[in-house]
Amino acid sequence: MHHKTKVKPGILAAVTLALATVQSVASALPEAQLASTVNAAVRPLMQQHAIPGMAVAISLNGKQHYFNYGVASKQTGQAVSADTLFEIGSVSKTFTATLAALAQANGKLSLSDTASKHWPELKGTAFDGITLLNLGTYSAGGLPLQFPEQVKDQATLLNYYRHWKADYAPGTHRLYSNPSLGLFGYLAAKSLDTSFTDLMQKQLLPQLGLQHTFVQVPTAQMGDYAQGYDKDDRAVRVGPGALDAEAYGLKTSSADLLRYLDVNMQSQSLSAALQRAMATTQTGYYRVGEMTQGLGWEQYRYPVTLDQLLAGNASSMALDPHRVTWLKPAQALADNTLLNKTGSTNGFGAYVLFVPSKRIGIVLLANKNYPNAERVKVAHAILTALDH
């Protein structure tokens, strides 16, 4: 885990400027001052990484603020707005976790169930000893970051899981994994006897009050769908893949994603079952270093240093196995907690964080995949200014 991180001069200047612009407490922060803070952090980032467009959204004491930069498409020149749709990659995992937790709240599954209970074709495999909680917290025993290329349909998906062999005993190691979290969502949908896409699009998203969030962007909304750009500035969008909807498939706007953070912070407007589900996703199950693993969400004691947040979002956390320390009992959300999640596709980069006790939420969406460390630096600078 990397605790010493070199901050690039441009970003360091942005952080310094961001902190210098704020002298009042967050509750009294003038809009112009907030805009100055965000501008100072975001504009150098976009220039440094050649990001065509970004949408930044901030929730501060129940009030929403939107800051939009650049273009949704270099071809059309259409400006980014709070309604521009971005691919959010693995931020989708927090929605998947909420759907599974809602299934538990409604009595359709238990996180302590074995995976094979909900997919009988897996009986007699490693999944007899792997729980839904293991899948939802990347602790099944070494499921990899991505599926192998030959996994393309239902038959090859089942064959992959049936023949997969664990590297570790379930519950001993964290290895970040699309096949792990994806299967978690897939089995939740099986417990409800409905397709995952239908559950997400027709049930969970409407219950959350999200009208501009999609697994598959409808034709009528394609005009809002930003064009993504890869590291070589080629125009790209996410394509189909195994358990893509479950692991990384959502497209949403900064306005909808900020609403999602708001209801995660203040869930009283939701049904009792959905409130319980959100509490389940925000529960801490085990620790790896300074990071506490929830369902989808990753947590830190707040205030958190930039180095701690960088370490928890470093490539090593995604690529390497880490021995875990389980919290027994699992830990309900504490007041002094920051929750965050990164997400990427080949052409997009997302980062969200929120601190419920401070009523602060931050959304960063970009139509280019740029390093997680740079997202964390900018968001931490903005957060520090807001909570000055």
Side-chain angles (χ1 to χ4, degrees):
M1 226 179 278
H2 307 299
H3 290 276
K4 298 292 182 186
T5 304
K6 255 189 181 175
V7 181
K8 295 180 181 178
I11 300 300
L12 184 60
V15 172
T16 305
L17 276 169
L19 295 178
T21 57
V22 177
Q23 296 170 344
S24 58
V25 295
S27 59
L29 198 69
E31 186 75 19
Q33 209 165 334
L34 180 56
S36 177
T37 297
V38 177
N39 289 342
V42 171
R43 284 177 173 157
L45 171 79
M46 291 182 67
Q47 184 174 9
Q48 192 166 12
H49 294 280
I51 300 171
M54 285 190 70
V56 179
I58 294 171
S59 182
L60 190 57
N61 296 314
K63 186 177 179 185
Q64 292 73 42
H65 308 265
Y66 302 100
F67 306 92
N68 301 300
Y69 303 86
V71 295
S73 166
K74 292 196 287 187
Q75 285 76 13
T76 68
Q78 181 176 334
V80 169
S81 77
D83 293 323
T84 299
L85 296 172
F86 292 80
E87 296 170 12
I88 60 170
S90 287
V91 178
S92 306
K93 289 178 168 68
T94 68
F95 289 83
T96 297
T98 304
L99 190 152
L102 183 58
Q104 176 174 260
N106 286 324
K108 298 299 184 180
L109 60 80
S110 168
L111 293 178
S112 61
D113 291 343
T114 63
S116 58
K117 175 179 179 178
H118 295 282
W119 198 358
E121 289 88 341
L122 292 179
K123 288 189 183 298
T125 73
F127 292 93
D128 287 337
I130 292 168
T131 66
L132 298 184
L133 181 60
N134 291 145
L135 293 174
T137 58
Y138 320 110
S139 60
L143 282 166
L145 180 62
Q146 306 288 5
F147 284 103
E149 281 189 19
Q150 65 266 28
V151 178
K152 297 182 182 300
D153 55 25
Q154 187 72 8
T156 53
L157 183 74
L158 176 59
N159 185 64
Y160 170 74
Y161 285 123
R162 283 187 60 83
H163 292 92
W164 173 77
K165 303 297 182 188
D167 294 322
Y168 312 100
T172 61
H173 289 75
R174 178 190 194 267
L175 185 60
Y176 189 76
S177 168
N178 284 337
S180 185
L181 201 293
L183 182 57
F184 182 54
Y186 180 80
L187 297 180
K190 286 184 80 70
S191 79
L192 294 160
D193 199 27
T194 308
S195 80
F196 180 87
T197 296
D198 280 353
L199 286 168
M200 183 62 68
Q201 202 69 65
K202 298 177 182 177
Q203 295 190 34
L204 180 62
L205 295 174
Q207 287 185 53
L208 292 169
L210 306 183
Q211 305 298 323
H212 209 50
T213 302
F214 308 101
V215 177
Q216 296 163 335
V217 179
T219 303
Q221 305 291 333
M222 285 297 291
D224 286 334
Y225 190 177
Q227 179 61 65
Y229 297 91
D230 69 12
K231 63 183 188 309
D232 298 315
D233 280 330
R234 292 174 298 201
V236 292
R237 283 186 178 142
V238 71
L243 301 185
D244 52 352
E246 292 85 345
Y248 55 85
L250 286 183
K251 299 88 182 169
T252 190
S253 65
S254 63
D256 251 25
L257 199 47
L258 193 64
R259 172 174 169 77
Y260 177 57
L261 298 191
D262 278 337
V263 295
N264 265 276
M265 290 191 285
Q266 301 279 326
S267 64
Q268 298 91 327
S269 64
L270 305 176
S271 69
L274 193 46
Q275 289 183 51
R276 291 197 300 276
M278 285 193 156
T280 299
T281 67
Q282 296 177 15
T283 296
Y285 296 98
Y286 64 69
R287 287 199 185 98
V288 172
E290 300 289 344
M291 187 272 287
T292 298
Q293 182 68 59
L295 286 181
W297 297 113
E298 295 157 14
Q299 308 176 7
Y300 301 83
R301 185 178 298 277
Y302 185 80
V304 59
T305 68
L306 176 58
D307 276 349
Q308 288 170 337
L309 210 52
L310 286 168
N313 288 285
S315 296
S316 60
M317 281 295 285
L319 300 177
D320 301 334
H322 296 269
R323 185 170 286 278
V324 307
T325 303
W326 286 86
L327 301 171
K328 296 183 179 180
Q331 183 177 298
L333 186 70
D335 277 347
N336 55 337
T337 303
L338 177 148
L339 300 93
N340 81 160
K341 188 72 188 77
T342 62
S344 303
T345 58
N346 284 340
F348 291 82
Y351 184 53
V352 296
L353 66 78
F354 61 103
V355 185
S357 61
K358 297 289 185 176
R359 296 189 69 191
I360 295 174
I362 299 173
V363 171
L364 302 178
L365 298 177
N367 57 350
K368 190 171 186 180
N369 183 355
Y370 64 105
N372 281 343
E374 305 306 321
R375 307 175 204 184
V376 170
K377 291 170 195 172
V378 166
H380 191 270
I382 295 170
L383 173 63
T384 304
L386 297 178
D387 193 30
H388 186 66

Short mmCIF file of all heavy atoms in Angstrom, two decimals, residues 323-369:
data_model
loop_
_atom_site.label_atom_id
_atom_site.label_comp_id
_atom_site.label_asym_id
_atom_site.label_seq_id
_atom_site.Cartn_x
_atom_site.Cartn_y
_atom_site.Cartn_z
N ARG A 323 -5.02 -9.51 3.09
CA ARG A 323 -5.63 -10.23 4.22
C ARG A 323 -6.57 -9.27 4.95
O ARG A 323 -6.26 -8.09 5.12
CB ARG A 323 -4.55 -10.76 5.16
CG ARG A 323 -5.11 -11.62 6.29
CD ARG A 323 -4.01 -12.33 7.04
NE ARG A 323 -3.45 -13.43 6.28
CZ ARG A 323 -3.99 -14.65 6.21
NH1 ARG A 323 -5.14 -14.89 6.84
NH2 ARG A 323 -3.40 -15.60 5.51
N VAL A 324 -7.71 -9.79 5.38
CA VAL A 324 -8.74 -8.93 5.97
C VAL A 324 -8.88 -9.21 7.46
O VAL A 324 -8.58 -10.30 7.94
CB VAL A 324 -10.11 -9.12 5.27
CG1 VAL A 324 -9.96 -8.95 3.76
CG2 VAL A 324 -10.73 -10.48 5.57
N THR A 325 -9.36 -8.18 8.18
CA THR A 325 -9.69 -8.31 9.59
C THR A 325 -11.18 -8.04 9.76
O THR A 325 -11.63 -6.89 9.62
CB THR A 325 -8.87 -7.30 10.44
OG1 THR A 325 -7.48 -7.51 10.20
CG2 THR A 325 -9.19 -7.46 11.91
N TRP A 326 -11.94 -9.09 10.01
CA TRP A 326 -13.40 -8.96 10.10
C TRP A 326 -13.80 -8.23 11.37
O TRP A 326 -13.16 -8.38 12.42
CB TRP A 326 -14.07 -10.33 10.06
CG TRP A 326 -14.04 -10.90 8.67
CD1 TRP A 326 -13.04 -11.62 8.10
CD2 TRP A 326 -15.05 -10.73 7.67
NE1 TRP A 326 -13.37 -11.93 6.79
CE2 TRP A 326 -14.59 -11.40 6.50
CE3 TRP A 326 -16.29 -10.10 7.62
CZ2 TRP A 326 -15.33 -11.44 5.32
CZ3 TRP A 326 -17.03 -10.15 6.46
CH2 TRP A 326 -16.55 -10.81 5.32
N LEU A 327 -14.83 -7.44 11.28
CA LEU A 327 -15.40 -6.74 12.42
C LEU A 327 -16.53 -7.60 12.99
O LEU A 327 -17.49 -7.91 12.27
CB LEU A 327 -15.94 -5.37 11.99
CG LEU A 327 -14.90 -4.44 11.37
CD1 LEU A 327 -15.57 -3.21 10.78
CD2 LEU A 327 -13.86 -4.03 12.42
N LYS A 328 -16.38 -8.01 14.20
CA LYS A 328 -17.39 -8.89 14.81
C LYS A 328 -17.87 -8.28 16.10
O LYS A 328 -17.09 -8.19 17.07
CB LYS A 328 -16.79 -10.28 15.04
CG LYS A 328 -16.40 -10.97 13.75
CD LYS A 328 -15.87 -12.37 13.99
CE LYS A 328 -15.52 -13.05 12.66
NZ LYS A 328 -15.01 -14.41 12.84
N PRO A 329 -19.13 -7.83 16.13
CA PRO A 329 -20.10 -7.87 15.03
C PRO A 329 -19.77 -6.82 13.96
O PRO A 329 -18.94 -5.94 14.20
CB PRO A 329 -21.43 -7.55 15.71
CG PRO A 329 -21.05 -6.68 16.86
CD PRO A 329 -19.71 -7.20 17.34
N ALA A 330 -20.46 -6.94 12.82
CA ALA A 330 -20.33 -5.92 11.79
C ALA A 330 -20.68 -4.56 12.39
O ALA A 330 -21.50 -4.46 13.31
CB ALA A 330 -21.24 -6.25 10.62
N GLN A 331 -20.05 -3.52 11.84
CA GLN A 331 -20.11 -2.19 12.46
C GLN A 331 -21.09 -1.28 11.73
O GLN A 331 -20.88 -0.96 10.55
CB GLN A 331 -18.70 -1.59 12.42
CG GLN A 331 -18.56 -0.25 13.09
CD GLN A 331 -17.11 0.21 13.05
OE1 GLN A 331 -16.21 -0.42 13.59
NE2 GLN A 331 -16.88 1.31 12.35
N ALA A 332 -22.15 -0.87 12.42
CA ALA A 332 -23.08 0.09 11.83
C ALA A 332 -22.34 1.40 11.57
O ALA A 332 -21.32 1.70 12.21
CB ALA A 332 -24.26 0.33 12.77
N LEU A 333 -22.86 2.18 10.64
CA LEU A 333 -22.20 3.41 10.23
C LEU A 333 -22.01 4.35 11.42
O LEU A 333 -22.96 4.69 12.11
CB LEU A 333 -23.02 4.11 9.14
CG LEU A 333 -22.37 5.34 8.51
CD1 LEU A 333 -21.17 4.93 7.66
CD2 LEU A 333 -23.38 6.11 7.67
N ALA A 334 -20.77 4.76 11.63
CA ALA A 334 -20.45 5.70 12.70
C ALA A 334 -20.60 7.13 12.19
O ALA A 334 -20.56 7.38 10.98
CB ALA A 334 -19.03 5.46 13.21
N ASP A 335 -20.76 8.07 13.11
CA ASP A 335 -20.94 9.47 12.73
C ASP A 335 -19.75 10.00 11.93
O ASP A 335 -19.90 10.71 10.96
CB ASP A 335 -21.13 10.34 13.97
CG ASP A 335 -22.58 10.33 14.44
OD1 ASP A 335 -23.44 9.85 13.68
OD2 ASP A 335 -22.83 10.78 15.57
N ASN A 336 -18.55 9.65 12.38
CA ASN A 336 -17.34 10.22 11.77
C ASN A 336 -16.84 9.29 10.66
O ASN A 336 -15.78 8.69 10.77
CB ASN A 336 -16.27 10.43 12.84
CG ASN A 336 -15.96 9.15 13.61
OD1 ASN A 336 -16.77 8.24 13.68
ND2 ASN A 336 -14.77 9.07 14.19
N THR A 337 -17.62 9.20 9.58
CA THR A 337 -17.27 8.27 8.50
C THR A 337 -17.40 8.95 7.14
O THR A 337 -18.36 9.67 6.88
CB THR A 337 -18.20 7.04 8.53
OG1 THR A 337 -18.11 6.40 9.81
CG2 THR A 337 -17.82 6.04 7.44
N LEU A 338 -16.41 8.71 6.28
CA LEU A 338 -16.48 9.10 4.88
C LEU A 338 -16.66 7.82 4.06
O LEU A 338 -15.98 6.81 4.31
CB LEU A 338 -15.19 9.80 4.45
CG LEU A 338 -15.06 10.22 2.97
CD1 LEU A 338 -14.22 11.51 2.86
CD2 LEU A 338 -14.42 9.13 2.10
N LEU A 339 -17.58 7.85 3.10
CA LEU A 339 -17.80 6.72 2.20
C LEU A 339 -17.44 7.17 0.79
O LEU A 339 -17.75 8.31 0.40
CB LEU A 339 -19.24 6.24 2.25
CG LEU A 339 -19.74 5.76 3.62
CD1 LEU A 339 -20.41 6.90 4.38
CD2 LEU A 339 -20.73 4.60 3.48
N ASN A 340 -16.80 6.29 0.02
CA ASN A 340 -16.41 6.67 -1.34
C ASN A 340 -16.42 5.47 -2.27
O ASN A 340 -16.47 4.32 -1.83
CB ASN A 340 -15.07 7.39 -1.36
CG ASN A 340 -13.83 6.51 -1.31
OD1 ASN A 340 -12.74 6.93 -1.68
ND2 ASN A 340 -13.95 5.27 -0.85
N LYS A 341 -16.38 5.77 -3.59
CA LYS A 341 -16.24 4.71 -4.59
C LYS A 341 -15.75 5.33 -5.88
O LYS A 341 -16.23 6.39 -6.31
CB LYS A 341 -17.58 4.02 -4.85
CG LYS A 341 -17.47 2.79 -5.75
CD LYS A 341 -16.80 1.64 -5.04
CE LYS A 341 -16.50 0.47 -5.96
NZ LYS A 341 -15.31 0.71 -6.82
N THR A 342 -14.77 4.67 -6.49
CA THR A 342 -14.32 5.05 -7.82
C THR A 342 -15.00 4.16 -8.86
O THR A 342 -15.50 3.07 -8.54
CB THR A 342 -12.80 4.88 -7.97
OG1 THR A 342 -12.47 3.50 -7.78
CG2 THR A 342 -12.05 5.73 -6.97
N GLY A 343 -15.01 4.62 -10.10
CA GLY A 343 -15.54 3.81 -11.19
C GLY A 343 -14.94 4.25 -12.51
O GLY A 343 -14.73 5.45 -12.73
N SER A 344 -14.66 3.30 -13.37
CA SER A 344 -14.05 3.61 -14.67
C SER A 344 -14.56 2.65 -15.73
O SER A 344 -14.84 1.49 -15.46
CB SER A 344 -12.52 3.48 -14.62
OG SER A 344 -11.96 4.29 -13.62
N THR A 345 -14.67 3.15 -16.95
CA THR A 345 -14.73 2.33 -18.14
C THR A 345 -13.59 2.84 -19.04
O THR A 345 -12.86 3.75 -18.65
CB THR A 345 -16.08 2.47 -18.86
OG1 THR A 345 -16.30 3.85 -19.20
CG2 THR A 345 -17.24 2.00 -17.96
N ASN A 346 -13.44 2.26 -20.21
CA ASN A 346 -12.32 2.68 -21.06
C ASN A 346 -12.37 4.17 -21.40
O ASN A 346 -11.34 4.79 -21.63
CB ASN A 346 -12.29 1.85 -22.34
CG ASN A 346 -11.73 0.46 -22.10
OD1 ASN A 346 -11.04 0.22 -21.12
ND2 ASN A 346 -12.05 -0.46 -22.99
N GLY A 347 -13.58 4.74 -21.43
CA GLY A 347 -13.71 6.12 -21.86
C GLY A 347 -14.24 7.09 -20.83
O GLY A 347 -14.47 8.27 -21.13
N PHE A 348 -14.43 6.63 -19.59
CA PHE A 348 -15.02 7.49 -18.56
C PHE A 348 -14.35 7.25 -17.21
O PHE A 348 -13.85 6.16 -16.94
CB PHE A 348 -16.52 7.19 -18.41
CG PHE A 348 -17.37 7.61 -19.58
CD1 PHE A 348 -17.47 6.80 -20.70
CD2 PHE A 348 -18.07 8.81 -19.56
CE1 PHE A 348 -18.24 7.17 -21.79
CE2 PHE A 348 -18.86 9.19 -20.64
CZ PHE A 348 -18.94 8.38 -21.76
N GLY A 349 -14.37 8.29 -16.36
CA GLY A 349 -13.86 8.17 -15.00
C GLY A 349 -14.80 8.84 -14.02
O GLY A 349 -15.22 9.98 -14.24
N ALA A 350 -15.15 8.13 -12.95
CA ALA A 350 -16.09 8.66 -11.95
C ALA A 350 -15.51 8.51 -10.56
O ALA A 350 -14.72 7.60 -10.28
CB ALA A 350 -17.42 7.90 -12.04
N TYR A 351 -15.93 9.42 -9.68
CA TYR A 351 -15.57 9.31 -8.27
C TYR A 351 -16.66 10.00 -7.46
O TYR A 351 -17.10 11.10 -7.80
CB TYR A 351 -14.22 9.97 -7.99
CG TYR A 351 -13.74 9.83 -6.56
CD1 TYR A 351 -13.67 8.59 -5.94
CD2 TYR A 351 -13.34 10.94 -5.83
CE1 TYR A 351 -13.22 8.46 -4.63
CE2 TYR A 351 -12.88 10.83 -4.52
CZ TYR A 351 -12.81 9.59 -3.93
OH TYR A 351 -12.37 9.47 -2.63
N VAL A 352 -17.11 9.33 -6.40
CA VAL A 352 -18.10 9.92 -5.51
C VAL A 352 -17.66 9.70 -4.07
O VAL A 352 -17.04 8.68 -3.73
CB VAL A 352 -19.51 9.32 -5.71
CG1 VAL A 352 -20.03 9.63 -7.11
CG2 VAL A 352 -19.52 7.81 -5.48
N LEU A 353 -17.96 10.68 -3.23
CA LEU A 353 -17.75 10.52 -1.80
C LEU A 353 -18.81 11.31 -1.05
O LEU A 353 -19.38 12.27 -1.58
CB LEU A 353 -16.34 10.95 -1.38
CG LEU A 353 -15.90 12.41 -1.47
CD1 LEU A 353 -16.45 13.29 -0.34
CD2 LEU A 353 -14.38 12.50 -1.45
N PHE A 354 -19.08 10.85 0.18
CA PHE A 354 -20.00 11.62 1.02
C PHE A 354 -19.67 11.38 2.49
O PHE A 354 -19.12 10.34 2.86
CB PHE A 354 -21.46 11.31 0.71
CG PHE A 354 -21.91 9.88 0.93
CD1 PHE A 354 -22.65 9.52 2.04
CD2 PHE A 354 -21.62 8.90 -0.01
CE1 PHE A 354 -23.07 8.22 2.24
CE2 PHE A 354 -22.04 7.59 0.17
CZ PHE A 354 -22.77 7.24 1.30
N VAL A 355 -19.99 12.39 3.29
CA VAL A 355 -19.78 12.35 4.74
C VAL A 355 -21.12 12.67 5.38
O VAL A 355 -21.50 13.84 5.50
CB VAL A 355 -18.71 13.36 5.19
CG1 VAL A 355 -18.42 13.20 6.68
CG2 VAL A 355 -17.42 13.21 4.38
N PRO A 356 -21.89 11.63 5.77
CA PRO A 356 -23.25 11.88 6.25
C PRO A 356 -23.33 12.84 7.43
O PRO A 356 -24.22 13.71 7.47
CB PRO A 356 -23.73 10.47 6.65
CG PRO A 356 -22.93 9.55 5.78
CD PRO A 356 -21.59 10.19 5.67
N SER A 357 -22.42 12.73 8.38
CA SER A 357 -22.50 13.58 9.57
C SER A 357 -22.26 15.05 9.24
O SER A 357 -22.69 15.94 9.98
CB SER A 357 -21.50 13.11 10.63
OG SER A 357 -20.18 13.18 10.13
N LYS A 358 -21.58 15.32 8.12
CA LYS A 358 -21.32 16.70 7.69
C LYS A 358 -22.31 17.15 6.62
O LYS A 358 -22.30 18.32 6.22
CB LYS A 358 -19.89 16.83 7.15
CG LYS A 358 -18.80 16.54 8.16
CD LYS A 358 -18.72 17.64 9.19
CE LYS A 358 -17.55 17.42 10.13
NZ LYS A 358 -17.39 18.56 11.08
N ARG A 359 -23.11 16.21 6.11
CA ARG A 359 -24.05 16.48 5.02
C ARG A 359 -23.32 17.08 3.80
O ARG A 359 -23.75 18.06 3.21
CB ARG A 359 -25.21 17.37 5.48
CG ARG A 359 -26.07 16.71 6.55
CD ARG A 359 -27.34 17.49 6.84
NE ARG A 359 -28.24 17.44 5.70
CZ ARG A 359 -29.34 18.20 5.57
NH1 ARG A 359 -29.62 19.09 6.51
NH2 ARG A 359 -30.12 18.10 4.53
N ILE A 360 -22.23 16.45 3.46
CA ILE A 360 -21.44 16.83 2.30
C ILE A 360 -21.36 15.64 1.35
O ILE A 360 -21.02 14.53 1.76
CB ILE A 360 -20.01 17.26 2.69
CG1 ILE A 360 -20.03 18.53 3.55
CG2 ILE A 360 -19.15 17.49 1.44
CD1 ILE A 360 -18.65 18.92 4.09
N GLY A 361 -21.67 15.87 0.09
CA GLY A 361 -21.51 14.86 -0.95
C GLY A 361 -20.85 15.49 -2.17
O GLY A 361 -21.12 16.64 -2.51
N ILE A 362 -19.97 14.74 -2.82
CA ILE A 362 -19.24 15.24 -3.99
C ILE A 362 -19.29 14.20 -5.10
O ILE A 362 -19.01 13.02 -4.86
CB ILE A 362 -17.76 15.57 -3.65
CG1 ILE A 362 -17.70 16.65 -2.56
CG2 ILE A 362 -17.00 16.02 -4.89
CD1 ILE A 362 -16.28 16.91 -2.04
N VAL A 363 -19.62 14.65 -6.31
CA VAL A 363 -19.66 13.81 -7.50
C VAL A 363 -18.69 14.39 -8.52
O VAL A 363 -18.77 15.59 -8.84
CB VAL A 363 -21.08 13.76 -8.11
CG1 VAL A 363 -21.07 13.07 -9.47
CG2 VAL A 363 -22.05 13.07 -7.15
N LEU A 364 -17.80 13.56 -9.05
CA LEU A 364 -16.92 13.94 -10.15
C LEU A 364 -17.15 12.97 -11.30
O LEU A 364 -16.91 11.76 -11.15
CB LEU A 364 -15.44 13.88 -9.75
CG LEU A 364 -14.96 14.71 -8.56
CD1 LEU A 364 -13.47 14.43 -8.32
CD2 LEU A 364 -15.18 16.18 -8.80
N LEU A 365 -17.59 13.48 -12.46
CA LEU A 365 -17.81 12.64 -13.64
C LEU A 365 -17.03 13.23 -14.80
O LEU A 365 -17.05 14.43 -15.04
CB LEU A 365 -19.30 12.59 -14.00
CG LEU A 365 -20.23 11.97 -12.95
CD1 LEU A 365 -21.68 12.06 -13.40
CD2 LEU A 365 -19.84 10.53 -12.65
N ALA A 366 -16.33 12.37 -15.54
CA ALA A 366 -15.52 12.81 -16.67
C ALA A 366 -15.70 11.85 -17.84
O ALA A 366 -15.88 10.64 -17.63
CB ALA A 366 -14.04 12.87 -16.27
N ASN A 367 -15.64 12.40 -19.06
CA ASN A 367 -15.74 11.52 -20.23
C ASN A 367 -14.35 11.13 -20.75
O ASN A 367 -14.09 11.05 -21.94
CB ASN A 367 -16.61 12.11 -21.34
CG ASN A 367 -16.15 13.47 -21.82
OD1 ASN A 367 -15.28 14.10 -21.23
ND2 ASN A 367 -16.76 13.95 -22.90
N LYS A 368 -13.47 10.86 -19.78
CA LYS A 368 -12.17 10.25 -20.05
C LYS A 368 -11.75 9.51 -18.79
O LYS A 368 -12.00 9.99 -17.67
CB LYS A 368 -11.12 11.29 -20.43
CG LYS A 368 -9.83 10.67 -20.95
CD LYS A 368 -8.89 11.72 -21.54
CE LYS A 368 -7.67 11.06 -22.18
NZ LYS A 368 -6.76 12.08 -22.76
N ASN A 369 -11.12 8.36 -18.94
CA ASN A 369 -10.61 7.61 -17.81
C ASN A 369 -9.23 8.18 -17.44
O ASN A 369 -8.29 8.08 -18.21
CB ASN A 369 -10.50 6.13 -18.17
CG ASN A 369 -10.03 5.28 -17.00
OD1 ASN A 369 -9.69 5.78 -15.94
ND2 ASN A 369 -10.01 3.97 -17.22
#
